[in-house]
Amino acid sequence: METKVIKINSPADYPLLDPAAACLRSGGLAAIPTETVYGLAGNALDADASRKIYAAKGRPQDNPLIVHISDFYQWAPLVQEIPASALTLAKAYWPGPMTIILKKSALIPDATSGGLDTVAVRMPSDPIAREVITRSGVPLAAPSANTSGRPSPTRAEHVYEDLNGKIDYIVDGGPCAVGVESTVVTLVDGAPRILRPGGITPEMIRDVLGACEVDPAVYEQLKEGVKAASPGMKYRHYAPRARVTVLSGPLDAYVRCVNAHAQEEGVYALCFDREGAKLSVPYIEYGAQADSAAQAHQLFDALRELDERGARRVYARMPSGEGVGLAVYNRLMRAAAFEVIELEK
Ligand code: TXA
Ligand code: MG
């Protein structure tokens, strides 16, 4: 299949989106930019389109897709009921990087919900994403537009690397603003619980709902035999090809440890801005230590670049875990399959 790239530079280019929107309406696939990461979109109400998404990504069929809408009126038909807490949350943070899980309506095919009786819905803030949804006239199922297991794409070039020849269109809207995927919060059991941290932090949810739990799978590897609340949590996501270890401790201990491993084959450091000069191994910097938003913006790009440069062994600096840093922490820990070394102070 030939994949056509549509470059959008300004709202004046929006009419160029029409062929991709028509293709989506009739069951085709298009990768689209969102404020978090690029998504691989298909008509969420069309089981065949969802099956094509799984095939193009090589994604396990039990890992449900997020359904994207561009207006509030599109939400109610997709779910059984919108509780007051969900409405409060959506009013506070939609459009934006937050996904809300509720019981699904009969409109959502099992192929879209991965066989679950719930559905995850999100209203993105990215104007191009919203334009594609509106022009296609259907809610769009869209997982991250990467090959399953690879780091999520934050630029159209990443999508092209993974999916060229497998989908109908790539809409190129430039780099994504946030850089990590949306916060996934479930309200299925009544009390809000974050299944995946993202741009909307636990504190922000507590601000409007009074409470918010964070699923243990965010912090640690699922134990053998434990059922994942979010099926995506059980897969080794976000992984570059290299083995990644996260080193926790002060900078001088990190520098000592990394330099002691300088002889290993394909060794790389993944550190914060202005730290690399102290190292005797090649490095990639992924934002200032105190700037979690910058780290979120750059992490996936950095993981892909490590692949490109042929890294085999990566020693990464531990992110803070505060605010959006919790999302950075979670993605990096999963890239490292939760391998952490606590350095001596
Ligand atoms: O920012 C994002 O959310 C991006 C952009 C494209 O919108 N999308 C994204 O989709 O990250 P994906 O498919 O890569 O991740 C969806 C996550 C998975 O971990 C999946 O298991 C979880 O959300 N999920 C989706 N529906 C669910 C449901 N009904 N119950 C529990 N978890 C669900
Ligand atoms: Mg993904």
PDB file of all heavy atoms in Angstrom, residues 80-113:
ATOM      1  N   GLN A  80     -22.375   3.880  28.613  1.00  0.00           N
ATOM      2  CA  GLN A  80     -23.703   3.593  29.164  1.00  0.00           C
ATOM      3  C   GLN A  80     -24.253   4.789  29.910  1.00  0.00           C
ATOM      4  O   GLN A  80     -25.433   5.096  29.855  1.00  0.00           O
ATOM      5  CB  GLN A  80     -23.637   2.374  30.079  1.00  0.00           C
ATOM      6  CG  GLN A  80     -23.627   1.098  29.265  1.00  0.00           C
ATOM      7  CD  GLN A  80     -23.566  -0.139  30.117  1.00  0.00           C
ATOM      8  OE1 GLN A  80     -23.792  -0.102  31.323  1.00  0.00           O
ATOM      9  NE2 GLN A  80     -23.257  -1.248  29.472  1.00  0.00           N
ATOM     10  N   GLU A  81     -23.338   5.451  30.627  1.00  0.00           N
ATOM     11  CA  GLU A  81     -23.768   6.564  31.478  1.00  0.00           C
ATOM     12  C   GLU A  81     -22.557   7.437  31.760  1.00  0.00           C
ATOM     13  O   GLU A  81     -21.439   6.921  31.882  1.00  0.00           O
ATOM     14  CB  GLU A  81     -24.312   5.963  32.779  1.00  0.00           C
ATOM     15  CG  GLU A  81     -24.694   6.951  33.796  1.00  0.00           C
ATOM     16  CD  GLU A  81     -24.955   6.324  35.170  1.00  0.00           C
ATOM     17  OE1 GLU A  81     -24.637   5.129  35.379  1.00  0.00           O
ATOM     18  OE2 GLU A  81     -25.436   7.036  36.027  1.00  0.00           O
ATOM     19  N   ILE A  82     -22.776   8.743  31.858  1.00  0.00           N
ATOM     20  CA  ILE A  82     -21.692   9.651  32.239  1.00  0.00           C
ATOM     21  C   ILE A  82     -21.970  10.119  33.661  1.00  0.00           C
ATOM     22  O   ILE A  82     -22.824  10.981  33.888  1.00  0.00           O
ATOM     23  CB  ILE A  82     -21.596  10.858  31.282  1.00  0.00           C
ATOM     24  CG1 ILE A  82     -21.317  10.379  29.847  1.00  0.00           C
ATOM     25  CG2 ILE A  82     -20.493  11.807  31.748  1.00  0.00           C
ATOM     26  CD1 ILE A  82     -21.294  11.489  28.806  1.00  0.00           C
ATOM     27  N   PRO A  83     -21.261   9.565  34.662  1.00  0.00           N
ATOM     28  CA  PRO A  83     -21.497   9.993  36.044  1.00  0.00           C
ATOM     29  C   PRO A  83     -21.030  11.439  36.247  1.00  0.00           C
ATOM     30  O   PRO A  83     -20.229  11.954  35.464  1.00  0.00           O
ATOM     31  CB  PRO A  83     -20.669   9.017  36.874  1.00  0.00           C
ATOM     32  CG  PRO A  83     -19.706   8.380  35.944  1.00  0.00           C
ATOM     33  CD  PRO A  83     -20.244   8.525  34.558  1.00  0.00           C
ATOM     34  N   ALA A  84     -21.528  12.056  37.319  1.00  0.00           N
ATOM     35  CA  ALA A  84     -21.195  13.464  37.596  1.00  0.00           C
ATOM     36  C   ALA A  84     -19.686  13.668  37.685  1.00  0.00           C
ATOM     37  O   ALA A  84     -19.149  14.670  37.202  1.00  0.00           O
ATOM     38  CB  ALA A  84     -21.879  13.903  38.894  1.00  0.00           C
ATOM     39  N   SER A  85     -18.979  12.696  38.296  1.00  0.00           N
ATOM     40  CA  SER A  85     -17.523  12.856  38.459  1.00  0.00           C
ATOM     41  C   SER A  85     -16.836  12.917  37.096  1.00  0.00           C
ATOM     42  O   SER A  85     -15.893  13.686  36.886  1.00  0.00           O
ATOM     43  CB  SER A  85     -16.959  11.702  39.282  1.00  0.00           C
ATOM     44  OG  SER A  85     -17.279  10.460  38.657  1.00  0.00           O
ATOM     45  N   ALA A  86     -17.313  12.127  36.143  1.00  0.00           N
ATOM     46  CA  ALA A  86     -16.707  12.121  34.808  1.00  0.00           C
ATOM     47  C   ALA A  86     -16.924  13.459  34.117  1.00  0.00           C
ATOM     48  O   ALA A  86     -16.021  13.997  33.470  1.00  0.00           O
ATOM     49  CB  ALA A  86     -17.300  10.989  33.970  1.00  0.00           C
ATOM     50  N   LEU A  87     -18.112  14.002  34.298  1.00  0.00           N
ATOM     51  CA  LEU A  87     -18.431  15.287  33.677  1.00  0.00           C
ATOM     52  C   LEU A  87     -17.560  16.402  34.264  1.00  0.00           C
ATOM     53  O   LEU A  87     -17.022  17.246  33.547  1.00  0.00           O
ATOM     54  CB  LEU A  87     -19.918  15.592  33.890  1.00  0.00           C
ATOM     55  CG  LEU A  87     -20.549  16.518  32.873  1.00  0.00           C
ATOM     56  CD1 LEU A  87     -20.337  16.016  31.449  1.00  0.00           C
ATOM     57  CD2 LEU A  87     -22.052  16.648  33.157  1.00  0.00           C
ATOM     58  N   THR A  88     -17.388  16.362  35.599  1.00  0.00           N
ATOM     59  CA  THR A  88     -16.545  17.359  36.266  1.00  0.00           C
ATOM     60  C   THR A  88     -15.117  17.286  35.732  1.00  0.00           C
ATOM     61  O   THR A  88     -14.496  18.305  35.414  1.00  0.00           O
ATOM     62  CB  THR A  88     -16.525  17.082  37.796  1.00  0.00           C
ATOM     63  OG1 THR A  88     -17.864  17.099  38.264  1.00  0.00           O
ATOM     64  CG2 THR A  88     -15.696  18.101  38.533  1.00  0.00           C
ATOM     65  N   LEU A  89     -14.616  16.074  35.606  1.00  0.00           N
ATOM     66  CA  LEU A  89     -13.244  15.871  35.139  1.00  0.00           C
ATOM     67  C   LEU A  89     -13.085  16.343  33.689  1.00  0.00           C
ATOM     68  O   LEU A  89     -12.134  17.056  33.350  1.00  0.00           O
ATOM     69  CB  LEU A  89     -12.936  14.371  35.233  1.00  0.00           C
ATOM     70  CG  LEU A  89     -11.496  13.937  35.401  1.00  0.00           C
ATOM     71  CD1 LEU A  89     -10.826  14.668  36.543  1.00  0.00           C
ATOM     72  CD2 LEU A  89     -11.459  12.422  35.638  1.00  0.00           C
ATOM     73  N   ALA A  90     -14.053  15.978  32.864  1.00  0.00           N
ATOM     74  CA  ALA A  90     -13.979  16.354  31.452  1.00  0.00           C
ATOM     75  C   ALA A  90     -14.076  17.866  31.288  1.00  0.00           C
ATOM     76  O   ALA A  90     -13.339  18.461  30.493  1.00  0.00           O
ATOM     77  CB  ALA A  90     -15.087  15.658  30.676  1.00  0.00           C
ATOM     78  N   LYS A  91     -14.958  18.490  32.076  1.00  0.00           N
ATOM     79  CA  LYS A  91     -15.101  19.949  31.965  1.00  0.00           C
ATOM     80  C   LYS A  91     -13.805  20.644  32.362  1.00  0.00           C
ATOM     81  O   LYS A  91     -13.455  21.674  31.816  1.00  0.00           O
ATOM     82  CB  LYS A  91     -16.244  20.432  32.857  1.00  0.00           C
ATOM     83  CG  LYS A  91     -17.597  20.304  32.197  1.00  0.00           C
ATOM     84  CD  LYS A  91     -18.641  20.965  33.085  1.00  0.00           C
ATOM     85  CE  LYS A  91     -20.037  20.810  32.532  1.00  0.00           C
ATOM     86  NZ  LYS A  91     -21.053  20.919  33.593  1.00  0.00           N
ATOM     87  N   ALA A  92     -13.099  20.052  33.334  1.00  0.00           N
ATOM     88  CA  ALA A  92     -11.857  20.676  33.806  1.00  0.00           C
ATOM     89  C   ALA A  92     -10.712  20.492  32.807  1.00  0.00           C
ATOM     90  O   ALA A  92      -9.928  21.413  32.583  1.00  0.00           O
ATOM     91  CB  ALA A  92     -11.468  20.100  35.165  1.00  0.00           C
ATOM     92  N   TYR A  93     -10.597  19.318  32.202  1.00  0.00           N
ATOM     93  CA  TYR A  93      -9.358  19.017  31.461  1.00  0.00           C
ATOM     94  C   TYR A  93      -9.532  18.611  29.998  1.00  0.00           C
ATOM     95  O   TYR A  93      -8.558  18.247  29.343  1.00  0.00           O
ATOM     96  CB  TYR A  93      -8.551  17.961  32.219  1.00  0.00           C
ATOM     97  CG  TYR A  93      -8.181  18.426  33.610  1.00  0.00           C
ATOM     98  CD1 TYR A  93      -8.577  17.710  34.735  1.00  0.00           C
ATOM     99  CD2 TYR A  93      -7.458  19.601  33.797  1.00  0.00           C
ATOM    100  CE1 TYR A  93      -8.260  18.146  36.013  1.00  0.00           C
ATOM    101  CE2 TYR A  93      -7.134  20.050  35.070  1.00  0.00           C
ATOM    102  CZ  TYR A  93      -7.540  19.319  36.175  1.00  0.00           C
ATOM    103  OH  TYR A  93      -7.218  19.766  37.427  1.00  0.00           O
ATOM    104  N   TRP A  94     -10.739  18.613  29.480  1.00  0.00           N
ATOM    105  CA  TRP A  94     -10.943  18.400  28.046  1.00  0.00           C
ATOM    106  C   TRP A  94     -11.209  19.731  27.387  1.00  0.00           C
ATOM    107  O   TRP A  94     -11.954  20.540  27.968  1.00  0.00           O
ATOM    108  CB  TRP A  94     -12.125  17.458  27.804  1.00  0.00           C
ATOM    109  CG  TRP A  94     -11.776  16.014  27.889  1.00  0.00           C
ATOM    110  CD1 TRP A  94     -10.548  15.455  28.105  1.00  0.00           C
ATOM    111  CD2 TRP A  94     -12.704  14.908  27.744  1.00  0.00           C
ATOM    112  NE1 TRP A  94     -10.647  14.076  28.127  1.00  0.00           N
ATOM    113  CE2 TRP A  94     -11.963  13.726  27.899  1.00  0.00           C
ATOM    114  CE3 TRP A  94     -14.064  14.817  27.506  1.00  0.00           C
ATOM    115  CZ2 TRP A  94     -12.546  12.453  27.815  1.00  0.00           C
ATOM    116  CZ3 TRP A  94     -14.650  13.567  27.420  1.00  0.00           C
ATOM    117  CH2 TRP A  94     -13.894  12.401  27.567  1.00  0.00           C
ATOM    118  N   PRO A  95     -10.749  19.945  26.174  1.00  0.00           N
ATOM    119  CA  PRO A  95      -9.816  19.075  25.459  1.00  0.00           C
ATOM    120  C   PRO A  95      -8.435  19.101  26.117  1.00  0.00           C
ATOM    121  O   PRO A  95      -7.989  20.135  26.568  1.00  0.00           O
ATOM    122  CB  PRO A  95      -9.760  19.692  24.057  1.00  0.00           C
ATOM    123  CG  PRO A  95     -10.510  20.975  24.104  1.00  0.00           C
ATOM    124  CD  PRO A  95     -11.134  21.132  25.425  1.00  0.00           C
ATOM    125  N   GLY A  96      -7.773  17.927  26.127  1.00  0.00           N
ATOM    126  CA  GLY A  96      -6.447  17.843  26.730  1.00  0.00           C
ATOM    127  C   GLY A  96      -5.976  16.419  26.891  1.00  0.00           C
ATOM    128  O   GLY A  96      -6.686  15.477  26.518  1.00  0.00           O
ATOM    129  N   PRO A  97      -4.774  16.247  27.487  1.00  0.00           N
ATOM    130  CA  PRO A  97      -4.128  14.932  27.532  1.00  0.00           C
ATOM    131  C   PRO A  97      -4.663  14.008  28.624  1.00  0.00           C
ATOM    132  O   PRO A  97      -3.914  13.577  29.495  1.00  0.00           O
ATOM    133  CB  PRO A  97      -2.649  15.275  27.750  1.00  0.00           C
ATOM    134  CG  PRO A  97      -2.692  16.564  28.507  1.00  0.00           C
ATOM    135  CD  PRO A  97      -3.895  17.314  28.009  1.00  0.00           C
ATOM    136  N   MET A  98      -5.953  13.740  28.610  1.00  0.00           N
ATOM    137  CA  MET A  98      -6.578  12.875  29.614  1.00  0.00           C
ATOM    138  C   MET A  98      -7.626  11.983  28.959  1.00  0.00           C
ATOM    139  O   MET A  98      -8.436  12.439  28.155  1.00  0.00           O
ATOM    140  CB  MET A  98      -7.247  13.723  30.686  1.00  0.00           C
ATOM    141  CG  MET A  98      -7.990  12.902  31.732  1.00  0.00           C
ATOM    142  SD  MET A  98      -8.831  13.955  32.925  1.00  0.00           S
ATOM    143  CE  MET A  98     -10.128  14.643  31.906  1.00  0.00           C
ATOM    144  N   THR A  99      -7.598  10.699  29.334  1.00  0.00           N
ATOM    145  CA  THR A  99      -8.514   9.690  28.793  1.00  0.00           C
ATOM    146  C   THR A  99      -9.354   9.164  29.944  1.00  0.00           C
ATOM    147  O   THR A  99      -8.809   8.835  31.003  1.00  0.00           O
ATOM    148  CB  THR A  99      -7.676   8.551  28.176  1.00  0.00           C
ATOM    149  OG1 THR A  99      -6.927   9.095  27.083  1.00  0.00           O
ATOM    150  CG2 THR A  99      -8.550   7.413  27.679  1.00  0.00           C
ATOM    151  N   ILE A 100     -10.678   9.088  29.740  1.00  0.00           N
ATOM    152  CA  ILE A 100     -11.583   8.630  30.810  1.00  0.00           C
ATOM    153  C   ILE A 100     -12.224   7.295  30.424  1.00  0.00           C
ATOM    154  O   ILE A 100     -12.791   7.170  29.332  1.00  0.00           O
ATOM    155  CB  ILE A 100     -12.691   9.669  31.078  1.00  0.00           C
ATOM    156  CG1 ILE A 100     -12.074  11.007  31.504  1.00  0.00           C
ATOM    157  CG2 ILE A 100     -13.659   9.148  32.147  1.00  0.00           C
ATOM    158  CD1 ILE A 100     -13.105  12.118  31.693  1.00  0.00           C
ATOM    159  N   ILE A 101     -12.118   6.294  31.318  1.00  0.00           N
ATOM    160  CA  ILE A 101     -12.711   4.979  31.070  1.00  0.00           C
ATOM    161  C   ILE A 101     -14.049   4.850  31.798  1.00  0.00           C
ATOM    162  O   ILE A 101     -14.142   5.114  33.004  1.00  0.00           O
ATOM    163  CB  ILE A 101     -11.767   3.855  31.518  1.00  0.00           C
ATOM    164  CG1 ILE A 101     -10.452   3.931  30.726  1.00  0.00           C
ATOM    165  CG2 ILE A 101     -12.424   2.478  31.327  1.00  0.00           C
ATOM    166  CD1 ILE A 101      -9.427   2.908  31.155  1.00  0.00           C
ATOM    167  N   LEU A 102     -15.077   4.447  31.032  1.00  0.00           N
ATOM    168  CA  LEU A 102     -16.419   4.188  31.581  1.00  0.00           C
ATOM    169  C   LEU A 102     -16.953   2.911  30.933  1.00  0.00           C
ATOM    170  O   LEU A 102     -16.350   2.379  30.000  1.00  0.00           O
ATOM    171  CB  LEU A 102     -17.352   5.365  31.242  1.00  0.00           C
ATOM    172  CG  LEU A 102     -17.044   6.707  31.926  1.00  0.00           C
ATOM    173  CD1 LEU A 102     -17.900   7.811  31.305  1.00  0.00           C
ATOM    174  CD2 LEU A 102     -17.287   6.630  33.432  1.00  0.00           C
ATOM    175  N   LYS A 103     -18.095   2.433  31.418  1.00  0.00           N
ATOM    176  CA  LYS A 103     -18.742   1.275  30.785  1.00  0.00           C
ATOM    177  C   LYS A 103     -19.148   1.637  29.356  1.00  0.00           C
ATOM    178  O   LYS A 103     -19.687   2.714  29.115  1.00  0.00           O
ATOM    179  CB  LYS A 103     -20.002   0.893  31.579  1.00  0.00           C
ATOM    180  CG  LYS A 103     -19.690   0.152  32.862  1.00  0.00           C
ATOM    181  CD  LYS A 103     -19.881  -1.353  32.636  1.00  0.00           C
ATOM    182  CE  LYS A 103     -19.878  -2.130  33.943  1.00  0.00           C
ATOM    183  NZ  LYS A 103     -18.577  -2.580  34.390  1.00  0.00           N
ATOM    184  N   LYS A 104     -18.908   0.725  28.417  1.00  0.00           N
ATOM    185  CA  LYS A 104     -19.165   1.050  27.011  1.00  0.00           C
ATOM    186  C   LYS A 104     -20.617   0.795  26.616  1.00  0.00           C
ATOM    187  O   LYS A 104     -21.308  -0.028  27.228  1.00  0.00           O
ATOM    188  CB  LYS A 104     -18.221   0.255  26.111  1.00  0.00           C
ATOM    189  CG  LYS A 104     -18.623  -1.187  25.818  1.00  0.00           C
ATOM    190  CD  LYS A 104     -17.611  -1.802  24.845  1.00  0.00           C
ATOM    191  CE  LYS A 104     -17.929  -3.265  24.560  1.00  0.00           C
ATOM    192  NZ  LYS A 104     -18.790  -3.448  23.384  1.00  0.00           N
ATOM    193  N   SER A 105     -21.068   1.493  25.582  1.00  0.00           N
ATOM    194  CA  SER A 105     -22.387   1.247  25.002  1.00  0.00           C
ATOM    195  C   SER A 105     -22.242   0.192  23.902  1.00  0.00           C
ATOM    196  O   SER A 105     -21.131  -0.187  23.521  1.00  0.00           O
ATOM    197  CB  SER A 105     -22.960   2.527  24.403  1.00  0.00           C
ATOM    198  OG  SER A 105     -22.335   2.788  23.156  1.00  0.00           O
ATOM    199  N   ALA A 106     -23.397  -0.222  23.358  1.00  0.00           N
ATOM    200  CA  ALA A 106     -23.388  -1.252  22.320  1.00  0.00           C
ATOM    201  C   ALA A 106     -22.778  -0.747  21.008  1.00  0.00           C
ATOM    202  O   ALA A 106     -22.435  -1.533  20.125  1.00  0.00           O
ATOM    203  CB  ALA A 106     -24.808  -1.757  22.077  1.00  0.00           C
ATOM    204  N   LEU A 107     -22.603   0.575  20.885  1.00  0.00           N
ATOM    205  CA  LEU A 107     -22.018   1.135  19.658  1.00  0.00           C
ATOM    206  C   LEU A 107     -20.546   0.748  19.478  1.00  0.00           C
ATOM    207  O   LEU A 107     -20.036   0.729  18.364  1.00  0.00           O
ATOM    208  CB  LEU A 107     -22.082   2.663  19.702  1.00  0.00           C
ATOM    209  CG  LEU A 107     -23.257   3.389  19.086  1.00  0.00           C
ATOM    210  CD1 LEU A 107     -22.989   4.894  19.127  1.00  0.00           C
ATOM    211  CD2 LEU A 107     -23.483   2.925  17.651  1.00  0.00           C
ATOM    212  N   ILE A 108     -19.865   0.503  20.614  1.00  0.00           N
ATOM    213  CA  ILE A 108     -18.423   0.211  20.557  1.00  0.00           C
ATOM    214  C   ILE A 108     -18.210  -1.274  20.294  1.00  0.00           C
ATOM    215  O   ILE A 108     -18.544  -2.118  21.136  1.00  0.00           O
ATOM    216  CB  ILE A 108     -17.731   0.589  21.890  1.00  0.00           C
ATOM    217  CG1 ILE A 108     -17.904   2.083  22.190  1.00  0.00           C
ATOM    218  CG2 ILE A 108     -16.252   0.206  21.889  1.00  0.00           C
ATOM    219  CD1 ILE A 108     -17.108   3.005  21.299  1.00  0.00           C
ATOM    220  N   PRO A 109     -17.628  -1.620  19.143  1.00  0.00           N
ATOM    221  CA  PRO A 109     -17.405  -3.043  18.872  1.00  0.00           C
ATOM    222  C   PRO A 109     -16.354  -3.636  19.820  1.00  0.00           C
ATOM    223  O   PRO A 109     -15.471  -2.919  20.298  1.00  0.00           O
ATOM    224  CB  PRO A 109     -16.860  -3.053  17.434  1.00  0.00           C
ATOM    225  CG  PRO A 109     -16.839  -1.656  16.949  1.00  0.00           C
ATOM    226  CD  PRO A 109     -17.145  -0.739  18.084  1.00  0.00           C
ATOM    227  N   ASP A 110     -16.468  -4.938  20.072  1.00  0.00           N
ATOM    228  CA  ASP A 110     -15.475  -5.615  20.915  1.00  0.00           C
ATOM    229  C   ASP A 110     -14.062  -5.455  20.362  1.00  0.00           C
ATOM    230  O   ASP A 110     -13.092  -5.403  21.108  1.00  0.00           O
ATOM    231  CB  ASP A 110     -15.809  -7.114  21.016  1.00  0.00           C
ATOM    232  CG  ASP A 110     -16.901  -7.355  22.053  1.00  0.00           C
ATOM    233  OD1 ASP A 110     -17.159  -6.433  22.852  1.00  0.00           O
ATOM    234  OD2 ASP A 110     -17.493  -8.450  22.047  1.00  0.00           O
ATOM    235  N   ALA A 111     -13.962  -5.371  19.049  1.00  0.00           N
ATOM    236  CA  ALA A 111     -12.629  -5.223  18.437  1.00  0.00           C
ATOM    237  C   ALA A 111     -11.969  -3.924  18.899  1.00  0.00           C
ATOM    238  O   ALA A 111     -10.748  -3.857  19.050  1.00  0.00           O
ATOM    239  CB  ALA A 111     -12.742  -5.247  16.916  1.00  0.00           C
ATOM    240  N   THR A 112     -12.763  -2.887  19.145  1.00  0.00           N
ATOM    241  CA  THR A 112     -12.213  -1.597  19.588  1.00  0.00           C
ATOM    242  C   THR A 112     -11.859  -1.633  21.074  1.00  0.00           C
ATOM    243  O   THR A 112     -10.845  -1.080  21.498  1.00  0.00           O
ATOM    244  CB  THR A 112     -13.227  -0.454  19.308  1.00  0.00           C
ATOM    245  OG1 THR A 112     -13.486  -0.421  17.904  1.00  0.00           O
ATOM    246  CG2 THR A 112     -12.699   0.893  19.772  1.00  0.00           C
ATOM    247  N   SER A 113     -12.699  -2.308  21.870  1.00  0.00           N
ATOM    248  CA  SER A 113     -12.483  -2.304  23.332  1.00  0.00           C
ATOM    249  C   SER A 113     -11.650  -3.500  23.791  1.00  0.00           C
ATOM    250  O   SER A 113     -11.552  -3.758  24.987  1.00  0.00           O
ATOM    251  CB  SER A 113     -13.820  -2.295  24.073  1.00  0.00           C
ATOM    252  OG  SER A 113     -14.503  -3.519  23.866  1.00  0.00           O
TER     253      SER A 113
END
